[in-house]
Amino acid sequence: MPINKNANMRLNFATLSAVDLKELLLTSDATIHTNLLQAARLKALKHFQNKIYIRGLIEFTNYCKNDCYYCGIRCSNTKAERYRLTKEEILACCRNGYELGFRTFVLQGGEDAYFSDKAMIAIISAIKTAHPDCAITLSIGERSLSSYKAMFAAGADRYLLRHETVTPSHYALLHPPTLSLANRLNCLENLKKIGYQVGTGFMVGSPFQTIDNLIEDLLFIRRFNPQMIGIGPFIPHHDTPFRDKNSGTLQQTLRLIAMLRLMLPKALIPATTALGTIDPCGREQGILAGANVVMPNLSPVMVRSKYSLYDNKICTGEEAAECINCLKERIRKIGYEIVVDRGDYRA
Ligand code: SAH
């Protein structure tokens, strides 16, 4: 089906074929691009009004046993200065975040065996005791079914685990042979089965990514129907094998955010830090393309620059309060507002 310039808003993204998705993703027609972003913005406004949900990101460990070729905290990066936050430090981040209006805390880290199930359960329970009205999101990679169950039982509500790419041959170009797409997908299924609100996603413009890979990713996300979708541009890190690769582009990321918003109208979609890193107004543009979440950093300033997945990450020098005030103002300027709310998925 040829996509005409004005048809975007009438296209049914719940059923749109791979061929049509590809045509939309490839078009160099500026009008179609603009219409697509606008249709996505209107879709988000319809479901969420001008409300933007905030999640406080706590990067609590940069130790990682994995060796993903794209990531700055991969285990073979001997230049990374490793750190772990204590339970008390994590709780202090939450207290600070709570005062600033955060009602979701995202605990993100490398795959660090130090944080056993027992350690995670102690942290999750302590946060829930101190802040029973808050949601806890985990983003700590692949773990066993029993581990996911135990952390859910302790009070974790949500889990972010990007699938990264759903094409096995592409997955193998981004990861060492110890990691498999099959296990990644199995983890996602387990998380969903247990009852977590689940987020998945991928990097835009990751090395060796083709348009067909991206179409497969879109189709996978539509099928999997996650509550949250995180996508952001790939950005090289100077101490990784991908140091000389190009970053993903702003426009392709925006177009994909828009397509995902139209496919899954109620999903929670962040305008990511990586998007804000490749363009000074990247996050604002993400919101204007259908994103409805931002995830400011609550980590202590002392460790911010050590949690370095890619180069030039923004907001590494500011206190959480400065970050949230800056973001509030940016968001207000484009006609949106940050709300104090857990911002749960509503079917
Ligand atoms: N260890 C956890 C958290 C990973 S960090 C896990 O495995 O899920 C969160 C996300 O950052 C990753 O899923 C990846 O998509 C993204 N990321 C890693 N390196 C990046 C890079 N160089 N550029 C952009 N995004 C990157």
Side-chain angles (χ1 to χ4, degrees):
M1 173 187 53
I3 311 274
N4 80 45
K5 284 183 192 274
N6 304 312
N8 299 328
M9 267 183 266
R10 293 197 302 275
L11 295 172
N12 183 357
F13 278 81
T15 54
L16 206 59
S17 70
V19 171
D20 291 340
L21 290 170
K22 188 167 173 175
E23 192 178 332
L24 272 179
L25 192 52
L26 279 174
T27 185
S28 54
D29 186 317
T31 312
I32 294 180
H33 180 77
T34 311
N35 286 350
L36 192 62
L37 268 51
Q38 172 167 307
R41 170 156 87 241
L42 293 175
K43 187 69 87 182
L45 283 168
K46 176 175 162 201
H47 291 288
F48 304 100
Q49 296 81 46
N50 67 339
K51 310 257 182 294
I52 301 296
Y53 298 116
I54 49 172
R55 304 350 186 158
L57 187 61
I58 304 171
E59 300 156 334
F60 70 103
T61 173
N62 72 349
Y63 282 86
C64 192
K65 70 171 163 63
N66 290 336
D67 214 14
C68 307
Y69 304 146
Y70 45 83
C71 184
I73 63 169
R74 63 200 300 265
C75 62
S76 13
N77 181 9
T78 51
K79 296 205 183 126
E81 240 184 278
R82 306 287 169 173
Y83 74 90
R84 290 183 179 108
L85 299 185
T86 63
K87 185 174 92 180
E88 285 63 37
E89 287 171 322
I90 296 171
L91 283 167
C93 293
C94 294
R95 264 196 305 279
N96 182 24
Y98 193 89
E99 289 293 310
L100 295 169
F102 288 88
R103 295 297 178 267
T104 292
F105 302 117
V106 181
L107 300 180
Q108 188 178 86
E111 292 198 17
D112 180 358
Y114 176 89
F115 290 99
S116 61
D117 292 349
K118 197 170 154 226
M120 287 310 300
I121 288 166
I123 294 167
I124 294 163
S125 319
I127 298 176
K128 280 285 176 172
T129 303
H131 307 290
D133 53 336
C134 291
I136 297 179
T137 304
L138 301 175
S139 176
I140 50 176
E142 299 175 10
R143 296 173 79 109
S144 65
L145 174 64
S146 64
S147 172
Y148 287 153
K149 277 186 178 161
M151 296 189 296
F152 186 74
D157 303 273
R158 310 181 189 140
Y159 207 103
L160 303 177
L161 187 72
R162 292 185 176 179
H163 67 282
E164 311 295 359
T165 171
V166 79
T167 308
S169 55
H170 185 216
Y171 199 89
L173 292 169
L174 301 179
H175 302 95
T178 45
L179 295 173
S180 75
L181 176 63
N183 193 49
R184 198 87 180 164
L185 297 180
N186 187 42
C187 286
L188 282 167
E189 290 298 339
N190 284 344
L191 290 163
K192 204 177 198 186
K193 212 164 44 198
I194 292 166
Y196 283 94
Q197 296 173 47
V198 179
T200 196
F202 56 88
M203 292 177 287
V204 178
S206 64
F208 315 110
Q209 184 179 64
T210 64
I211 289 290
D212 289 317
N213 295 153
L214 284 170
I215 298 304
E216 290 304 321
D217 290 325
L218 292 178
L219 295 173
F220 165 71
I221 290 177
R222 186 165 71 185
R223 259 194 327 271
F224 186 66
N225 192 21
Q227 284 88 3
M228 303 170 282
I229 309 168
I231 69 165
F234 161 76
I235 303 172
H237 184 288
H238 62 279
D239 288 321
T240 64
F242 292 162
R243 62 178 65 84
D244 296 324
K245 304 288 185 194
N246 293 323
S247 294
T249 68
L250 173 69
Q251 293 309 329
Q252 193 175 40
T253 308
L254 295 176
R255 194 178 296 188
L256 284 159
I257 289 176
M259 291 170 77
L260 287 162
R261 166 60 64 214
L262 293 165
M263 282 182 156
L264 298 181
K266 296 179 178 174
L268 294 150
I269 304 181
T272 58
T273 306
L275 190 57
T277 298
I278 56 159
D279 186 284
C281 293
R283 286 173 300 177
E284 290 91 321
Q285 294 190 69
I287 290 168
L288 296 173
N292 67 328
V293 172
V294 287
M295 299 171 65
N297 203 317
L298 289 182
S299 313
V301 173
M302 271 185 29
V303 305
R304 293 269 181 102
S305 56
K306 296 184 188 157
Y307 196 82
S308 168
L309 310 182
Y310 48 80
D311 290 338
N312 306 317
K313 185 176 142 196
I314 52 171
C315 309
T316 50
E318 284 124 74
E319 293 291 345
E322 296 171 65
C323 272
I324 187 71
N325 286 332
C326 158
L327 255 181
K328 262 187 194 153
E329 184 56 18
R330 284 165 173 267
I331 284 171
R332 191 192 60 75
K333 278 193 182 143
I334 56 167
Y336 287 74
E337 67 168 320
I338 284 178
V339 290
V340 177
D341 192 305
R342 276 176 49 128
D344 283 295
Y345 179 82
R346 291 200 185 81

